[in-house]
Amino acid sequence: MIASLFPRRLLAALTFGGLALSAQAADFTVAYQTTVDPAKVAQADGSYEKASKSEIDWRKFDSGADVITAVASGDVQIGYVGSSPLAAAATRQLPIQTFLIATQIGDAEALVARNGAGIAKPEDLVGKKIAVPFVSTGHYSLLAALKHWQIDPTQVTILNLAPPAIIAAWQRGDIDATYVWDPALGVAKANGKVLISSAELSKVGAPTFDAWIVRKDFAEKHPEVVRAFAKVTLDAYTDYRKDPQAWLADKGNIDKLVKLSGAKAEDIPLLLQGNVFPLAADQATALGAPTTQAISETARFLKEQGKVEAVLPDYAPYVSAKYVTN
């Protein structure tokens, strides 16, 4: 266990009729999202707890913006966010650091038009209702797609909905399109048409990625925990990438992903193939100029769209490779 990690750590003994009961709070809290990635198997197996010798409170969040709020408040120490909320958070100069690139987003996020909404091509989006979680990678990608198609965002109605609300609105027929990830993406694709994916957008200059971030104060006090967290994640990626077909053939892996992501079992293979999960050798390079440049470019785009007020001259303080190289 981590010694004297938080004052809120609780070990209380309650005695009822001579029976002592004890309850122990978590050593730290991790915010995760419903993305489909190999490391969720490690999460389900308790591998992070074993490696860090800690009790972890895993909390599910529906968007990166919510994760950032929780990390900023101090309620969460480690969190999973997309490149857009990360850029917004760094621009606000929040006390965070990116210590691992979780995934380079491909077909696992996409803009889907609902069947019957009268959207056969991009220009048909004009006048339609499009739902997306604000300040998410989906939001960034939606705005980038509209810019690519030379459609003014004011020509469409963009609704700020969390993924669960998107599913409900989609099923009611309240929205015409959505840019989102699973499980909402799978629901939309069941009776919708993909207009563009994040993989296609990356080819026209708007790449997105997901990352693990950590509060700087937590990382400074417990660097060994952050290193252990990164290693477990990268080991899971290595296990998957050395033989994806064998990994997918293991029903236990699929069941764990379904449980933690909410995605359908039959969709798991394509969703995993829709992203790139960088290994340790890739991380050392990525957690440098490529990531700081991507954050800077994303921040500039967000400023263009009026989502942030300014762009920092240097985003290097918000990225560190030391937890994957030492």
Side-chain angles (χ1 to χ4, degrees):
M1 298 293 177
I2 302 173
S4 14
L5 188 54
F6 296 110
R8 66 180 178 180
R9 182 183 174 98
L10 174 68
L11 185 57
L14 304 175
T15 305
F16 296 97
L19 175 64
L21 303 175
S22 65
Q24 184 173 308
D27 291 314
F28 62 96
T29 301
V30 175
Y32 75 97
Q33 295 193 57
T34 57
T35 50
V36 173
D37 69 88
K40 279 192 167 51
V41 172
Q43 181 181 340
D45 289 343
S47 300
Y48 288 97
E49 285 81 355
K50 294 171 189 172
S52 63
K53 299 181 176 61
S54 309
E55 293 295 327
I56 302 175
D57 176 13
W58 293 90
R59 296 186 194 171
K60 186 178 79 169
F61 284 74
D62 291 320
S63 73
D66 291 339
V67 172
I68 291 297
T69 299
V71 171
S73 72
D75 287 345
V76 165
Q77 287 69 52
I78 293 176
Y80 187 103
V81 299
S83 45
S84 181
L86 169 58
T91 300
R92 289 166 54 198
Q93 301 184 60
L94 296 182
I96 59 169
Q97 206 160 44
T98 305
F99 69 93
L100 196 74
I101 302 302
T103 178
Q104 293 161 340
I105 302 172
D107 293 328
E109 290 189 15
L111 174 60
V112 184
R114 185 171 52 80
N115 293 344
I119 305 171
K121 52 191 183 301
E123 47 266 43
D124 294 334
L125 290 168
V126 174
K128 303 297 186 181
K129 295 179 181 178
I130 309 173
V132 66
F134 276 15
V135 201
S136 66
T137 48
H139 191 193
Y140 168 83
S141 295
L142 171 61
L143 295 174
L146 293 176
K147 183 177 181 180
H148 175 63
W149 293 324
Q150 298 182 346
I151 298 173
D152 191 316
T154 61
Q155 292 180 287
V156 301
T157 300
I158 302 177
L159 303 174
N160 179 19
L161 296 180
I166 287 175
I167 292 174
W170 186 273
Q171 292 172 334
R172 290 193 305 265
D174 292 347
I175 54 177
D176 304 302
T178 181
Y179 207 121
V180 74
W181 51 91
D182 262 279
L185 177 60
V187 172
K189 286 166 69 175
N191 66 327
K193 172 188 177 183
V194 173
L195 294 181
I196 196 167
S197 72
S198 294
E200 295 168 292
L201 270 173
S202 70
K203 296 175 184 176
V204 296
T208 50
F209 63 90
D210 287 340
W212 282 105
I213 62 170
V214 61
R215 282 188 58 94
K216 288 183 178 179
D217 54 358
F218 179 85
E220 288 167 2
K221 291 179 183 176
H222 308 286
E224 74 288 348
V225 171
V226 183
R227 289 192 186 96
F229 194 98
K231 186 177 187 306
V232 169
T233 305
L234 294 174
D235 285 349
Y237 288 0
T238 298
D239 189 42
Y240 166 72
R241 286 185 53 175
K242 70 184 177 186
D243 192 343
Q245 293 309 311
W247 195 96
L248 290 166
D250 186 333
K251 186 175 181 298
N253 290 337
I254 302 300
D255 289 344
K256 290 164 188 172
L257 279 179
V258 169
K259 180 180 178 181
L260 288 173
S261 72
K264 298 176 183 176
E266 59 268 28
D267 293 340
I268 297 294
L270 281 178
L271 290 169
L272 286 172
Q273 292 163 21
N275 289 331
V276 175
F277 305 102
L279 301 180
D282 308 316
Q283 297 282 345
T285 301
L287 289 164
T291 296
T292 55
Q293 182 179 347
I295 294 174
S296 180
E297 290 173 355
T298 301
R300 277 196 290 272
F301 183 87
L302 293 174
K303 185 175 183 297
E304 273 180 33
Q305 301 297 326
K307 304 304 177 186
V308 297
E309 293 182 2
V311 177
L312 300 182
D314 183 17
Y315 284 88
Y318 300 92
V319 181
S320 176
K322 68 181 180 181
Y323 302 105
V324 296
T325 54
N326 290 349

